[in-house]
Amino acid sequence: MTTMRIRANKFLKKIAEKILPILTILFLLTVVWYFFTIYLNSAMQIDKYDRQGISWNISKLVLDTMSQERPKLPAPHQIAEEIWKTTVEKKITSKRSLIYHSSITLSSTIVGFMLGTVLGVVLAVSIVENRAMESSLMPWIIASQTIPILAIAPMIIVVLNSLGFSGLLPKALISTYLSFFPIVVGMVKGLRSPDIILVDLMKTYNSSKVDIFFKLRLPASVPFLFTSMKVAIAISLVGAIVGELPTGAVAGLGARLLTGSYYGQTIQIWSALIMASILAATLVFSIQAIGYLVSKKMGYTNEEA
Amino acid sequence: MRKLSNILLTFALFFSAMCFVSSTISFSESNIIVLILSIVGILLGLRLFFPFFASFYYDLFIGVATIIFVILNLHEDLPIGSWPLIFSSWLYSWLAVEKIMQKQFETDYSSTIRNFVAPIFFGVWIIFFWEVATVGLKIPVVILPSPSVIGIKFIASLDILWADFIQTFVKSALIGYLIGCSSGLLIAILIDSSPFLKRGLLPIGNFISALPIIGVAPIMVMWFGFDWESKAAVVVIMTFFPMLVNTITGLSISSQIEKDLMKTYGASYSQTLFFLRLHGAAPFIFNALKINSTLALIGAIVAEFFGTPIVGVGFRISTEVGRMNLDMVWAEITVAALVGTITYGIITFIEKRLTFWHPSIRGN
């Protein structure tokens, strides 16, 4: 009984320490958001009252600012309503379903992320195993990331289109370009993480370079790999979304953003934005979960993973 | 290591032989240099079997000689033998770099030079391959302009590039970067004194850093108009959270024993902050500054896709892509890449000066 009580106490303490502050901040943010909704939208609302000659008081004004059709800043519940309408109440195949658009963005994110991970791991292995590769490649890998690739995404899309690649692949390549970098950095760190004493032990066992790699370096790099993969998948989602902006992409969350901004549909922009955030959270969380499971299976304790 | 260089050498020998054969079959006066270079290549490759010509100077020589020869003859028709020659001398250059890397130098000065040789050589070869591929294979400018075409365009349109640079980098990115980073830093210091807020804000800040914040660009353009203010606003939002999260983490890095020491000195809160904790946080703050420098460029350029006055890097890229002037687009990319690399370099330089005590700097 007592152990149960201790466990329950621990649980409550954990909630008080971790969840409560987060909820408080979220609550505060929501309050601030509503305040700004009223503040930013009231000018237009008052203008509208004046034009239509409607008499108004504060409470009517506050309510009306939260139900405009094209508000400067939509209230959270308006966005929630829009997301509900465009996900649950629409058919998935419909062009107005957010799930349809999300799935298009998601597919190029995943493809780009996979390619980026493979490329990153290959580069990291060659860097760790070959000194000349490291000194010639590493500065260029770093320099490659200072080029704002997202900014030249439209050109890449156009050029690849003119070469006959369209649809998923160009967007995925942008995600690849963005996501390989954190993987390289993390993997190089991970492959070099075994202590020199462990490498020496392997050498006393007369292990070959290949053996040291597969039995020592590779397993040691797994926690690092998953940490970098979390960064990489978030960034490849950004790449996919920006890849959808140019050249009149008709589908995907990026296209939703763009059409929303053309027609001043703020609620549509915000709902696409929130949907993208939900997607990012889900992706990062699933990588974390897979990483946790793999690390557990490989015998890492929680602190190491 | 020996194995790899032997493989490289075998391939280099193979390509030199191919070059020699193809040059002798279609011999003419124009490819006499190719023939000579291929013979040099074969002689160098014979070190697989006999111990001579082992110095890396020979490898370096054939690489440089090939580059010069091909560049000079690029706009006439290249002799057929030059393609295998390019490959074999590329492999020799790789071998040379490999040998230079293994060499131990006595002075710091020469080892610094050594650290620059490899990346420069790599860069030269990339640009060389690019030039040869685009000009030699006659790839249309619409798909990929050659470095020389880009260079000419760059010099010819310096005034436009300068105007775009001022609009996008100085006005939008720099102002947004300064506001975003300093407000992130200040708010992190303010929040730091409340453990409750810190525990709440850290996970949320981390979460927001992972979100596609770039999506707020259309909203900011609606709020702040088409000019640089809206771009600066996007940059502020993008740079704020990485700075916040990193500073909060950095401020909590100094250990209890150090804080206790400050207390025994009778240090006030602000003294502990300035003389101990901000110093401990410096590596984290610089990390955020580096991340943010790239984010600021991206934010400023991408925000221009959503509406802009008729100047700016993002505007130029999107319109010139539409007009298929790819050389202009690449000139803008060169500007962006230069700005990005130089900014990164400056931040790294300041970091090395200010956080010279940190293990990650001392280690190098």
Short mmCIF file of all heavy atoms in Angstrom, two decimals, chain B residues 71-101:
data_model
loop_
_atom_site.label_atom_id
_atom_site.label_comp_id
_atom_site.label_asym_id
_atom_site.label_seq_id
_atom_site.Cartn_x
_atom_site.Cartn_y
_atom_site.Cartn_z
N ILE B 71 40.80 24.66 -68.96
CA ILE B 71 40.16 25.99 -68.92
C ILE B 71 40.54 26.79 -70.17
O ILE B 71 39.69 27.45 -70.79
CB ILE B 71 40.58 26.76 -67.65
CG1 ILE B 71 39.96 26.13 -66.40
CG2 ILE B 71 40.19 28.23 -67.74
CD1 ILE B 71 38.49 26.33 -66.26
N LEU B 72 41.81 26.72 -70.58
CA LEU B 72 42.25 27.49 -71.74
C LEU B 72 41.58 27.01 -73.02
O LEU B 72 41.33 27.79 -73.93
CB LEU B 72 43.77 27.41 -71.89
CG LEU B 72 44.58 28.20 -70.86
CD1 LEU B 72 46.06 28.04 -71.11
CD2 LEU B 72 44.19 29.67 -70.90
N ASN B 73 41.29 25.71 -73.12
CA ASN B 73 40.76 25.16 -74.37
C ASN B 73 39.27 24.88 -74.32
O ASN B 73 38.73 24.24 -75.22
CB ASN B 73 41.50 23.87 -74.73
CG ASN B 73 42.93 24.17 -75.09
OD1 ASN B 73 43.22 24.66 -76.15
ND2 ASN B 73 43.82 23.93 -74.14
N LEU B 74 38.62 25.36 -73.24
CA LEU B 74 37.25 24.93 -73.00
C LEU B 74 36.31 25.36 -74.11
O LEU B 74 35.38 24.64 -74.48
CB LEU B 74 36.78 25.50 -71.66
CG LEU B 74 35.56 24.87 -71.03
CD1 LEU B 74 35.73 23.37 -70.98
CD2 LEU B 74 35.33 25.42 -69.66
N HIS B 75 36.54 26.59 -74.67
CA HIS B 75 35.54 27.10 -75.60
C HIS B 75 35.76 26.62 -77.02
O HIS B 75 34.90 26.81 -77.87
CB HIS B 75 35.47 28.62 -75.50
CG HIS B 75 34.83 29.03 -74.20
ND1 HIS B 75 33.47 29.12 -74.04
CD2 HIS B 75 35.37 29.31 -73.00
CE1 HIS B 75 33.20 29.46 -72.79
NE2 HIS B 75 34.33 29.58 -72.14
N GLU B 76 36.92 26.01 -77.29
CA GLU B 76 37.00 25.25 -78.54
C GLU B 76 36.55 23.83 -78.19
O GLU B 76 36.18 23.56 -77.07
CB GLU B 76 38.45 25.24 -79.04
CG GLU B 76 38.93 26.61 -79.49
CD GLU B 76 40.28 26.94 -78.87
OE1 GLU B 76 41.15 26.07 -78.84
OE2 GLU B 76 40.42 28.08 -78.41
N ASP B 77 36.60 22.95 -79.19
CA ASP B 77 36.21 21.58 -78.87
C ASP B 77 37.33 20.90 -78.10
O ASP B 77 38.49 20.92 -78.51
CB ASP B 77 35.92 20.80 -80.17
CG ASP B 77 34.54 21.13 -80.67
OD1 ASP B 77 33.67 21.41 -79.82
OD2 ASP B 77 34.33 21.12 -81.89
N LEU B 78 36.96 20.30 -76.98
CA LEU B 78 37.95 19.59 -76.19
C LEU B 78 38.36 18.31 -76.91
O LEU B 78 37.49 17.62 -77.46
CB LEU B 78 37.38 19.24 -74.83
CG LEU B 78 37.35 20.36 -73.79
CD1 LEU B 78 36.67 19.87 -72.54
CD2 LEU B 78 38.74 20.84 -73.48
N PRO B 79 39.67 18.00 -76.94
CA PRO B 79 40.08 16.71 -77.49
C PRO B 79 39.44 15.58 -76.69
O PRO B 79 39.22 15.72 -75.49
CB PRO B 79 41.60 16.71 -77.30
CG PRO B 79 41.97 18.11 -77.03
CD PRO B 79 40.79 18.79 -76.47
N ILE B 80 39.14 14.50 -77.38
CA ILE B 80 38.39 13.41 -76.76
C ILE B 80 39.11 12.85 -75.53
O ILE B 80 38.48 12.43 -74.57
CB ILE B 80 38.11 12.29 -77.81
CG1 ILE B 80 37.16 11.22 -77.25
CG2 ILE B 80 39.40 11.64 -78.28
CD1 ILE B 80 35.74 11.60 -77.36
N GLY B 81 40.46 12.91 -75.59
CA GLY B 81 41.22 12.33 -74.49
C GLY B 81 41.14 13.12 -73.20
O GLY B 81 41.55 12.64 -72.15
N SER B 82 40.61 14.35 -73.25
CA SER B 82 40.67 15.17 -72.04
C SER B 82 39.68 14.71 -70.96
O SER B 82 39.88 15.01 -69.80
CB SER B 82 40.46 16.64 -72.38
OG SER B 82 39.50 16.78 -73.36
N TRP B 83 38.64 14.00 -71.38
CA TRP B 83 37.69 13.55 -70.34
C TRP B 83 38.31 12.56 -69.37
O TRP B 83 38.26 12.78 -68.15
CB TRP B 83 36.40 13.00 -70.96
CG TRP B 83 35.65 14.07 -71.68
CD1 TRP B 83 35.60 14.26 -73.01
CD2 TRP B 83 34.89 15.13 -71.09
NE1 TRP B 83 34.86 15.38 -73.32
CE2 TRP B 83 34.41 15.93 -72.15
CE3 TRP B 83 34.59 15.49 -69.78
CZ2 TRP B 83 33.63 17.05 -71.94
CZ3 TRP B 83 33.80 16.61 -69.57
CH2 TRP B 83 33.34 17.39 -70.64
N PRO B 84 38.92 11.45 -69.88
CA PRO B 84 39.61 10.58 -68.90
C PRO B 84 40.74 11.29 -68.19
O PRO B 84 40.99 11.02 -67.01
CB PRO B 84 40.14 9.42 -69.75
CG PRO B 84 39.94 9.79 -71.15
CD PRO B 84 38.89 10.83 -71.21
N LEU B 85 41.37 12.27 -68.88
CA LEU B 85 42.46 13.01 -68.23
C LEU B 85 41.95 13.77 -67.02
O LEU B 85 42.58 13.78 -65.95
CB LEU B 85 43.08 13.98 -69.24
CG LEU B 85 44.25 14.79 -68.69
CD1 LEU B 85 45.41 13.89 -68.39
CD2 LEU B 85 44.65 15.88 -69.66
N ILE B 86 40.75 14.39 -67.16
CA ILE B 86 40.18 15.14 -66.04
C ILE B 86 39.97 14.22 -64.85
O ILE B 86 40.32 14.54 -63.71
CB ILE B 86 38.85 15.79 -66.47
CG1 ILE B 86 39.12 16.95 -67.42
CG2 ILE B 86 38.07 16.27 -65.27
CD1 ILE B 86 37.89 17.50 -68.08
N PHE B 87 39.42 13.03 -65.13
CA PHE B 87 39.15 12.11 -64.02
C PHE B 87 40.45 11.66 -63.34
O PHE B 87 40.54 11.63 -62.12
CB PHE B 87 38.36 10.89 -64.51
CG PHE B 87 36.91 11.19 -64.67
CD1 PHE B 87 36.34 11.25 -65.93
CD2 PHE B 87 36.12 11.44 -63.56
CE1 PHE B 87 35.00 11.55 -66.08
CE2 PHE B 87 34.78 11.74 -63.70
CZ PHE B 87 34.22 11.80 -64.97
N SER B 88 41.45 11.32 -64.19
CA SER B 88 42.66 10.80 -63.58
C SER B 88 43.37 11.89 -62.77
O SER B 88 43.86 11.64 -61.68
CB SER B 88 43.59 10.20 -64.63
OG SER B 88 44.32 11.21 -65.26
N SER B 89 43.36 13.14 -63.27
CA SER B 89 44.07 14.16 -62.50
C SER B 89 43.27 14.58 -61.26
O SER B 89 43.86 14.98 -60.25
CB SER B 89 44.39 15.38 -63.36
OG SER B 89 43.28 15.77 -64.09
N TRP B 90 41.93 14.40 -61.34
CA TRP B 90 41.15 14.62 -60.12
C TRP B 90 41.56 13.61 -59.05
O TRP B 90 41.77 13.96 -57.87
CB TRP B 90 39.66 14.50 -60.44
CG TRP B 90 38.79 14.44 -59.23
CD1 TRP B 90 38.70 15.39 -58.25
CD2 TRP B 90 37.91 13.39 -58.85
NE1 TRP B 90 37.81 14.99 -57.29
CE2 TRP B 90 37.30 13.77 -57.64
CE3 TRP B 90 37.55 12.17 -59.44
CZ2 TRP B 90 36.38 12.94 -56.99
CZ3 TRP B 90 36.62 11.37 -58.80
CH2 TRP B 90 36.04 11.75 -57.59
N LEU B 91 41.72 12.36 -59.45
CA LEU B 91 42.12 11.32 -58.49
C LEU B 91 43.52 11.61 -57.94
O LEU B 91 43.77 11.44 -56.74
CB LEU B 91 42.09 9.95 -59.17
CG LEU B 91 40.68 9.44 -59.47
CD1 LEU B 91 40.74 8.23 -60.38
CD2 LEU B 91 39.94 9.09 -58.20
N TYR B 92 44.43 12.09 -58.82
CA TYR B 92 45.78 12.43 -58.33
C TYR B 92 45.71 13.57 -57.33
O TYR B 92 46.44 13.56 -56.33
CB TYR B 92 46.70 12.78 -59.50
CG TYR B 92 47.24 11.56 -60.19
CD1 TYR B 92 47.06 11.35 -61.55
CD2 TYR B 92 47.93 10.60 -59.46
CE1 TYR B 92 47.54 10.21 -62.17
CE2 TYR B 92 48.42 9.46 -60.07
CZ TYR B 92 48.23 9.27 -61.43
OH TYR B 92 48.71 8.15 -62.02
N SER B 93 44.84 14.55 -57.59
CA SER B 93 44.71 15.66 -56.64
C SER B 93 44.23 15.15 -55.30
O SER B 93 44.71 15.57 -54.24
CB SER B 93 43.71 16.69 -57.15
OG SER B 93 44.05 17.10 -58.43
N TRP B 94 43.27 14.24 -55.35
CA TRP B 94 42.76 13.65 -54.11
C TRP B 94 43.89 12.97 -53.35
O TRP B 94 44.07 13.16 -52.14
CB TRP B 94 41.64 12.66 -54.46
CG TRP B 94 40.91 12.11 -53.28
CD1 TRP B 94 41.23 12.27 -51.96
CD2 TRP B 94 39.74 11.31 -53.31
NE1 TRP B 94 40.33 11.61 -51.17
CE2 TRP B 94 39.41 11.01 -51.97
CE3 TRP B 94 38.93 10.80 -54.34
CZ2 TRP B 94 38.30 10.23 -51.63
CZ3 TRP B 94 37.83 10.03 -54.00
CH2 TRP B 94 37.51 9.75 -52.66
N LEU B 95 44.70 12.21 -54.09
CA LEU B 95 45.83 11.53 -53.46
C LEU B 95 46.79 12.53 -52.83
O LEU B 95 47.29 12.32 -51.72
CB LEU B 95 46.59 10.71 -54.51
CG LEU B 95 46.01 9.34 -54.83
CD1 LEU B 95 46.70 8.76 -56.05
CD2 LEU B 95 46.17 8.41 -53.64
N ALA B 96 47.03 13.64 -53.56
CA ALA B 96 47.93 14.66 -53.04
C ALA B 96 47.40 15.22 -51.73
O ALA B 96 48.14 15.33 -50.74
CB ALA B 96 48.10 15.78 -54.07
N VAL B 97 46.09 15.54 -51.72
CA VAL B 97 45.49 16.09 -50.50
C VAL B 97 45.61 15.08 -49.36
O VAL B 97 45.98 15.43 -48.23
CB VAL B 97 44.01 16.45 -50.75
CG1 VAL B 97 43.31 16.76 -49.45
CG2 VAL B 97 43.90 17.63 -51.68
N GLU B 98 45.35 13.83 -49.69
CA GLU B 98 45.45 12.78 -48.67
C GLU B 98 46.86 12.75 -48.06
O GLU B 98 47.04 12.64 -46.86
CB GLU B 98 45.12 11.43 -49.32
CG GLU B 98 44.97 10.32 -48.33
CD GLU B 98 43.56 9.75 -48.38
OE1 GLU B 98 42.64 10.40 -48.90
OE2 GLU B 98 43.39 8.66 -47.90
N LYS B 99 47.86 12.87 -48.93
CA LYS B 99 49.25 12.82 -48.44
C LYS B 99 49.58 14.06 -47.62
O LYS B 99 50.23 13.98 -46.59
CB LYS B 99 50.21 12.71 -49.62
CG LYS B 99 50.53 11.28 -49.93
CD LYS B 99 51.62 11.22 -50.97
CE LYS B 99 51.48 9.96 -51.76
NZ LYS B 99 51.85 10.15 -53.16
N ILE B 100 49.09 15.22 -48.11
CA ILE B 100 49.37 16.46 -47.36
C ILE B 100 48.76 16.37 -45.97
O ILE B 100 49.36 16.77 -44.98
CB ILE B 100 48.80 17.68 -48.12
CG1 ILE B 100 49.55 17.87 -49.43
CG2 ILE B 100 48.91 18.93 -47.27
CD1 ILE B 100 48.95 18.92 -50.32
N MET B 101 47.56 15.76 -45.89
CA MET B 101 46.91 15.66 -44.59
C MET B 101 47.68 14.77 -43.64
O MET B 101 47.66 14.96 -42.43
CB MET B 101 45.49 15.12 -44.75
CG MET B 101 44.50 16.04 -45.42
SD MET B 101 44.64 17.73 -44.87
CE MET B 101 44.15 17.56 -43.16
#
